[in-house]
Amino acid sequence: MSAIKDLLRGRKDQTFRPKKKFEDGSGHSSLHKYAKASLKAGLDFSELVKLPPGEDKNDWMAVHVVDFFNRVNLIYGVISEYCTVTSCPKMSGGAKFEYFWADETNKKPVALPAPEYMNNLMDWIESKINNVKEFPTTTNVPFPKHFPALCKKILTRLNRVFIHVYIHHFEPIVSLGSEAHVNQCYKHFVYFVTEFQLVDYKEFEPLAKVTDQLCPRRIAMLKDNK
């Protein structure tokens, strides 16, 4: 992702959110470093996403949720100036798909312009990953029972950001020469969420052809396991 980082260097106004980090010395920090080292080593994505021997699945999900949150923030920061109320009056994934916003405070789903949806989404995810009761930062604090469901909800919504970027804003990504880096990030995301069944098959429908080209047979795993 260095090319995207280079684009944002010195352009802090386009960094959508500050990076969430794990405390040094925590079990999560060690797992995060392991995952990053494996990615840099160029391992096959199907092997990269597998749970390391002896590690806790919730810990593995936690470090990936935070990592994907940071990466999606970075990607959206690159194209945020092109995603406006005028250009994107709906949070959509093409003509057939529109995403409505709801959370614990506003339980009735509402239609929002894409930039407002994005702001609400990132605020909501930050509130979750910064809440130690829902997202423990050390291995001696147990994960809540609903943690896998929370991860699934976060990752499902981040998938919708990928969909919106690919369908509505990929031209700026290409013009900036960053398509290979976005593709790599999306491939990592798809391999991870399909490995642990964290995004439903139907959620990939708007971007099914692109996803199948980048990650052959991965989303089919979700259909096979329905």
Side-chain angles (χ1 to χ4, degrees):
M1 303 302 287
S2 59
I4 293 178
K5 290 180 181 178
D6 289 342
L7 290 169
L8 290 175
R9 191 169 293 147
R11 297 164 64 187
K12 293 183 180 179
D13 58 314
Q14 290 194 18
T15 303
F16 199 56
R17 286 290 193 281
K19 285 188 72 173
K20 167 71 176 180
K21 296 181 179 180
F22 291 111
E23 296 177 10
D24 287 339
S26 70
H28 296 163
S29 176
S30 298
L31 269 182
H32 180 64
K33 290 175 181 177
Y34 172 87
K36 285 184 69 176
S38 297
L39 185 59
K40 288 180 180 179
L43 296 179
D44 182 83
F45 278 108
S46 61
E47 293 298 320
L48 172 68
V49 298
K50 292 184 183 298
L51 181 67
E55 296 293 347
D56 180 76
K57 183 179 176 181
N58 285 336
D59 284 324
W60 192 234
M61 286 194 295
V63 299
H64 280 81
V65 167
V66 171
D67 189 44
F68 289 131
F69 171 67
N70 288 332
R71 293 179 183 219
V72 170
N73 274 325
L74 197 60
I75 291 168
Y76 187 70
V78 171
I79 60 89
S80 60
E81 66 181 283
Y82 305 97
C83 187
T84 66
V85 173
T86 302
S87 67
C88 303
K90 299 178 180 179
M91 176 57 186
S92 58
K96 295 182 180 180
F97 299 90
E98 182 177 358
Y99 304 115
F100 296 82
W101 180 255
D103 56 28
E104 293 83 354
T105 303
N106 305 290
K107 295 184 179 181
K108 184 178 180 180
V110 294
L112 295 174
E116 189 174 344
Y117 182 102
M118 297 292 186
N119 273 299
N120 284 0
L121 174 58
M122 299 310 171
D123 284 344
W124 177 77
I125 296 176
E126 277 193 316
S127 73
K128 298 299 181 183
I129 64 179
N130 289 327
N131 183 341
V132 294
K133 292 182 179 179
E134 292 200 288
F135 240 86
T137 56
T138 58
T139 53
N140 62 339
V141 177
F143 286 92
K145 291 182 179 180
H146 70 276
F147 186 74
L150 174 60
C151 288
K152 183 172 183 176
K153 193 167 188 177
I154 291 173
L155 292 168
T156 296
R157 289 178 166 183
L158 287 178
N159 185 57
R160 293 171 183 177
V161 180
F162 276 116
I163 289 169
H164 184 77
V165 169
Y166 267 101
I167 293 176
H168 298 284
H169 301 295
F170 204 64
E171 187 175 331
I173 294 290
V174 172
S175 67
L176 293 167
S178 299
E179 66 271 25
H181 304 279
V182 175
N183 287 343
Q184 184 191 46
C185 181
Y186 183 59
K187 283 180 67 175
H188 189 189
F189 178 87
V190 171
Y191 272 85
F192 183 79
V193 300
T194 52
E195 177 74 14
F196 297 102
Q197 307 285 304
L198 291 169
V199 175
D200 292 337
Y201 176 78
K202 64 180 181 179
E203 292 287 339
F204 288 100
E205 188 175 347
L207 209 60
K209 289 183 179 179
V210 171
T211 307
D212 278 332
Q213 286 178 343
L214 292 173
C215 314
R217 291 288 304 162
R218 289 304 291 194
I219 57 174
M221 290 170 55
L222 299 173
K223 188 176 183 179
D224 294 343
N225 289 307
K226 284 180 67 177

